[in-house]
Amino acid sequence: MEPVKIGLLGLGTVGGGTVTVLTRNAREIARRAGRDIEIAHAAAREYKREGISGLDQIGRIGDDAFAVVDDPEIQIIIELIGGYSPALELVMRAIANGKHVVTANKALIARHGNTIFAAARERGVMVGFEAAVAGGIPIIKAVREGLAANHIEWVAGIINGTGNFILTEMRDKGRSFADCLAEAQARGYAEADPTFDVEGIDAAHKLTILASLAFGIPLQFERCYTEGISRIESQDVAYAGELGYRIKHLGIARRNADGIELRVHPTLIPHRRLIANVDGVMNAVLVKGDAVGPTLYYGAGAGSLPTASSVVADVVDVVRAFTTDPNNRVPHLAFQPDELADTPILTMDQVETAYYLRLTALDEPGVMARIASILGEQGISIEAIQQKAPGEGETHVPLVMLTQRVREGQMNQAIARIEALASVQGSVMRIRVETLAG
Ligand code: HSE
């Protein structure tokens, strides 16, 4: 089958990430989508060639975005230019030309989404905007599909990575507001106009979209109350901490008896709440449904590859719609049935983790050394070791160890040898350690 042909508008932070993801994971994506996906035509006024891997796979790169939108070969337009104009004109023309659209443009959707969706319905094309809210977190899919059974009561989120990065750095490192903002810009998190981040406009765009999905209301960006973080001082961050709170820049949409609250502002949250511990550029959205209760979605809210992850997911959705059986549009196991692989499941012996070990050993010179040498002979490196105090009149003491990562098979052999020592009492308590670092 012919590859699906994509037209890409914009080769900036997210555009570059999209090229990288689509080319790097091309095979895996095709196994899910049911067709190969090719960026046939891209337009960008300027871009940094060296920062983008996979550029050589693009059929044609020019500087005329309207030429891409009018290219008869193109089936899906990915709009990653941002801003209102010419993004709106390009998206409307793509729809008029019968092309499906995927966009990361939250400003465009929050302000002009009602018009764009009406045109798309009329023309029978799809518009995907997963990347517009909370970067790489699939929050739109979760709210629109996963929580479809619920009466949603409220949504509260940290939905601007730049603002969260600034607040976190100010709190942890005592850095200045301006210094943190400059770093967020250098890392490609911030909007072209960073006041959108720090004054809450970007979060308001995203909250507007979330509120419409949660409560079934038209997009009403102009009704969103917006207050930024630029007036927060280090002393407020410190005083809040002393009171047991963290300051987070939250977007809150809540349904009450009189209507819907739609507001973005700095907020004190008890420090023990999970969302109060979402730091740096990470985003998190809490959604409270009447059936499911509170649910929390966490991940990178900005940046090249995380945002591209959502863009490409939307592209896969569109491609599935025109390649697969309409009754089984999303394959049961995510990949197309004839693309399932026979990659083996590993036995536990082959699995590698670090370990916590606790054993009871005779409190005598040389015992610790013997145990350590067994671990060494099995190729196991010790991260930490502690001998606990013996109980009253006890001849044996608890030894607690952390090891570095090792295959379970090797650890099993080591444990069997340690348990066979006359100086070790009973069996070794073994708990696997996973740092789950990002
Ligand atoms: N400027 C945005 C942020 C980018 O910092 O979250 C992602 O929308």
Side-chain angles (χ1 to χ4, degrees):
M1 231 188 290
E2 275 280 292
V4 173
K5 296 207 163 35
I6 303 282
L8 177 61
L9 311 181
L11 282 169
T13 303
V14 182
T18 299
V19 174
T20 301
V21 171
L22 274 174
T23 51
R24 185 170 82 185
N25 299 345
R27 184 68 201 112
E28 194 103 340
I29 290 167
R31 286 176 60 215
R32 291 191 167 100
R35 293 268 289 275
D36 286 326
I37 296 171
E38 178 187 310
I39 305 175
H41 197 169
R45 267 187 308 208
E46 52 190 46
Y47 56 96
K48 295 196 190 96
R49 188 163 264 284
E50 62 283 2
I52 308 173
S53 77
L55 264 190
D56 54 336
Q57 306 284 311
I58 298 180
R60 183 155 43 121
I61 304 179
D63 59 6
D64 182 358
F66 284 94
V68 178
V69 160
D70 288 337
D71 184 336
E73 264 202 338
I74 299 300
Q75 293 156 281
I76 304 172
I77 292 291
I78 305 181
E79 184 277 306
L80 301 173
I81 293 176
Y84 302 118
S85 186
L88 178 61
E89 294 79 2
L90 287 162
V91 164
M92 294 302 280
R93 189 138 132 197
I95 292 171
N97 287 342
K99 299 183 195 310
H100 306 281
V101 172
V102 170
T103 179
N105 192 333
K106 52 259 161 154
L108 183 71
I109 296 296
R111 276 200 185 270
H112 300 293
N114 298 324
T115 309
I116 292 169
F117 300 149
R121 281 195 301 276
E122 177 104 339
R123 196 64 177 79
V125 295
M126 289 173 264
V127 176
F129 50 99
E130 182 65 73
V133 182
I137 307 174
I139 186 63
I140 291 184
K141 205 167 255 295
V143 174
R144 196 157 55 183
E145 300 177 33
L147 300 177
N150 287 263
H151 171 89
I152 294 179
E153 296 168 9
W154 53 263
V155 176
I158 295 170
I159 44 180
N160 181 266
T162 300
N164 202 40
F165 177 80
I166 292 171
L167 286 176
T168 306
E169 292 286 300
M170 284 174 72
R171 186 194 70 215
D172 289 351
K173 303 187 186 146
R175 296 174 66 192
S176 75
F177 182 90
D179 189 22
C180 301
L181 175 57
E183 187 174 338
Q185 287 178 288
R187 292 183 183 208
Y189 303 151
E191 296 304 298
D193 175 355
T195 59
F196 273 43
D197 297 295
V198 296
E199 296 308 341
I201 300 158
D202 177 72
H205 286 143
K206 296 165 180 169
L207 186 69
T208 299
I209 298 170
L210 281 178
S212 289
L213 300 173
F215 306 129
I217 54 173
L219 296 153
Q220 297 163 75
F221 170 70
E222 62 292 347
R223 296 262 168 87
C224 186
Y225 172 80
T226 307
E227 190 182 306
I229 56 169
S230 53
R231 290 181 53 246
I232 303 287
E233 295 184 25
S234 318
Q235 54 182 328
D236 301 311
V237 175
Y239 294 151
E242 286 167 20
L243 294 164
Y245 290 86
R246 296 242 166 111
I247 300 179
K248 291 291 178 190
H249 200 190
L250 280 196
I252 300 174
R254 187 194 306 269
R255 181 165 16 201
N256 68 35
D258 302 320
I260 288 162
E261 301 169 15
L262 197 58
R263 50 195 171 97
V264 172
H265 50 73
T267 312
L268 263 72
I269 313 174
H271 71 94
R272 288 214 300 218
R273 293 270 178 282
L274 268 178
I275 197 166
N277 293 282
V278 171
D279 287 334
V281 74
M282 303 309 274
N283 278 194
V285 184
L286 261 168
V287 184
K288 168 81 182 343
D290 68 333
V292 71
T295 55
L296 179 65
Y297 308 85
Y298 167 85
S304 174
L305 298 181
T307 311
S309 163
S310 288
V311 168
V312 174
D314 273 345
V315 171
V316 169
D317 259 1
V318 174
V319 174
R320 277 174 175 158
F322 44 80
T323 54
T324 54
D325 161 13
N327 294 321
N328 287 293
R329 193 179 59 78
V330 180
H332 294 108
L333 293 179
F335 291 79
Q336 300 298 329
D338 55 356
E339 289 285 357
L340 293 181
D342 56 4
T343 316
I345 306 291
L346 300 178
T347 64
M348 274 311 275
D349 268 5
Q350 298 169 286
V351 168
E352 195 182 282
T353 68
Y355 289 86
Y356 157 98
L357 302 176
R358 177 177 55 77
L359 52 104
T360 307
L362 195 61
D363 189 12
E364 223 178 61
V367 171
M368 181 96 90
R370 184 72 201 106
I371 293 167
S373 78
I374 291 177
L375 291 171
E377 284 155 24
Q378 293 295 148
I380 300 168
S381 189
I382 298 171
E383 180 86 31
I385 189 161
Q386 278 188 354
Q387 177 177 322
K388 301 292 179 189
E392 186 73 23
E394 288 285 345
T395 52
H396 288 71
V397 288
L399 289 182
V400 176
M401 276 173 255
L402 285 179
T403 75
Q404 290 182 354
R405 292 169 65 84
V406 60
R407 281 196 170 210
E408 180 127 346
Q410 275 165 272
M411 180 52 86
N412 286 341
Q413 288 174 18
I415 287 176
R417 288 179 61 190
I418 291 169
E419 286 177 343
L421 293 174
S423 50
V424 169
Q425 201 175 54
S427 55
V428 175
M429 173 62 158
R430 162 251 307 270
I431 305 178
R432 296 169 191 92
V433 180
E434 293 286 358
T435 53
L436 306 181

